Amino acid sequence: MNILPRYECRICWQVYDPATGDPVAQIPPGTEFADLPQDWLCPQCDAPKAQFILIDPETGDA
């Protein structure tokens, strides 16, 4: 099983998980962070993609 990397917003700590996508922006499950539209914003605080950091899949730490 291939686990896709998750990203965390540095502003509000919202996690983007490709397994669930982003229902608010109608991003379907399975959409990798790199494949999100350039104008995608955090569904919680409206931060741009640049404010997200990779979460370590082993430890869960950003």
Side-chain angles (χ1 to χ4, degrees):
M1 182 170 80
N2 186 14
I3 298 174
L4 298 174
R6 299 180 311 144
Y7 287 77
E8 184 175 75
C9 179
R10 294 188 290 180
I11 306 299
C12 71
W13 310 113
Q14 172 77 22
V15 173
Y16 176 76
D17 186 347
T20 57
D22 178 4
V24 173
Q26 300 181 344
I27 304 293
T31 303
E32 293 189 43
F33 188 79
D35 295 334
L36 291 172
Q38 286 300 323
D39 61 351
W40 178 83
L41 300 172
C42 175
Q44 186 164 318
C45 74
D46 289 333
K49 281 177 68 173
Q51 292 299 321
F52 280 72
I53 53 177
L54 179 64
I55 295 175
D56 186 316
E58 304 247 337
T59 65
D61 293 333

